[in-house]
Amino acid sequence: MPAKRIIPCLDVKNGRTVKGINFEGLVDVGDPVELGARYASDGADELVYLDISASREDRTTFTSLVERIADRINIPFTVGGGIRSIDDAARLLDAGADKITVNSAAVARPQLVSEIAARYGSQFIVVAVDARCIDGVWRITTHGGSRPTDHELMAWVTEMESRGAGEIMFTSMDHDGTRSGYPCSTFARMAEILRIPVIASGGAGSVDDIADVFRLGKADAALAASIFHYGQITIAHLKDRLAEKGIDVRR
């Protein structure tokens, strides 16, 4: 079984890293290139950059940022936000991104996932999935968790795998930014039905939370933001603690 990965996530708005709770109350937490370089030197396995303001007028700005990241960072990084076409994906991959991630655009047009996978290969595409538990059923949401859809979570991730997704990055919008832990039983079910890696996102508040999503949730990687941005724990210390708990992490 592959070693577990630790992936800091950097939400980017207007060229700055920001963080909030449930995508609201955003505060500036630093320069995305400098933060990424710090996390890379501290032992991060990969990075995820999400352009959360992703409007058309910001495309050029974000592409330039991706070029800066690629020049500075020596570990794999994934970028997403506003990718609606093959051309959008190509621009970011050409700028130096190792992978791209799609979310709302995949809900609007699932064929986009098939098209990107067909052109570049499944290893280049991560499908990000935001969901809320509504009346006991996990439903896919779009636009930062603000718009519920009729798609049920497990059926949706299964479809995304069949369309060529190389990984699923699932965020519980009920847990995002709260630092209250991950919904481990939901992750475990997802890991059981999929053959591709699952990245756990949304809710990491402690070493125990991340250990639980690896052991109980069977996730392949853990994505976190707040605990790193606010200096609650370093990646190196996190990996040491996880190893002490018997969890195989990359070194």
Side-chain angles (χ1 to χ4, degrees), residues 27-185:
V27 296
D28 188 311
V29 293
D31 178 80
V33 179
E34 295 303 321
L35 271 179
R38 189 178 83 197
Y39 294 150
S41 67
D42 195 33
D45 299 302
E46 300 177 23
L47 299 170
V48 170
Y49 287 90
L50 299 177
D51 181 1
I52 64 170
S53 55
S55 58
R56 284 292 179 185
E57 61 269 25
D58 291 328
R59 293 295 87 213
T60 302
T61 300
F62 191 61
T63 302
S64 298
L65 176 61
V66 171
E67 292 172 345
R68 289 175 53 213
I69 295 165
D71 285 341
R72 182 76 182 276
I73 304 299
N74 61 358
I75 61 174
F77 69 97
T78 300
V79 297
I83 298 173
R84 302 179 181 90
S85 68
I86 285 282
D87 289 343
D88 290 335
R91 180 167 54 251
L92 295 171
L93 290 170
D94 289 345
D98 295 279
K99 298 180 246 184
I100 58 94
T101 180
V102 294
N103 187 340
S104 296
V107 177
R109 194 170 72 85
Q111 184 63 23
L112 177 62
V113 175
S114 304
E115 293 169 357
I116 295 173
R119 177 174 294 189
Y120 294 106
S122 293
Q123 71 271 24
F124 289 100
I125 182 166
V126 179
V127 172
V129 176
D130 296 340
R132 293 185 186 276
C133 191
I134 301 171
D135 296 328
V137 178
W138 284 94
R139 297 289 182 191
I140 302 301
T141 62
T142 62
H143 299 81
S146 64
R147 301 184 188 178
T149 74
D150 292 332
H151 295 292
E152 189 273 329
L153 175 60
M154 298 304 164
W156 179 248
V157 296
T158 301
E159 179 180 350
M160 291 298 96
E161 179 183 50
S162 71
R163 287 186 176 274
E167 294 180 279
I168 295 293
M169 183 169 71
F170 165 45
T171 301
S172 164
M173 299 308 300
D174 298 325
H175 296 75
D176 180 70
T178 65
R179 290 185 266 181
S180 60
Y182 301 89
C184 291
S185 61

Side-chain angles (χ1 to χ4, degrees), residues 1-8 43-48 75-78 99 123 125-126 166-169 182 196-201 210-211 213-214 218-224 228 235 238-239 242 247-251:
M1 181 178 295
K4 305 297 186 181
R5 292 171 287 155
I6 301 299
I7 307 176
D45 299 302
E46 300 177 23
L47 299 170
V48 170
I75 61 174
F77 69 97
T78 300
K99 298 180 246 184
Q123 71 271 24
I125 182 166
V126 179
E167 294 180 279
I168 295 293
M169 183 169 71
Y182 301 89
I196 58 176
V198 174
I199 302 170
S201 169
I210 294 175
V213 85
F214 284 147
K218 303 179 182 179
D220 298 275
L223 181 144
F228 300 137
I235 296 165
L238 170 62
K239 287 190 170 186
L242 291 172
I247 296 171
D248 183 19
V249 291
R250 290 188 185 179
R251 293 291 191 172

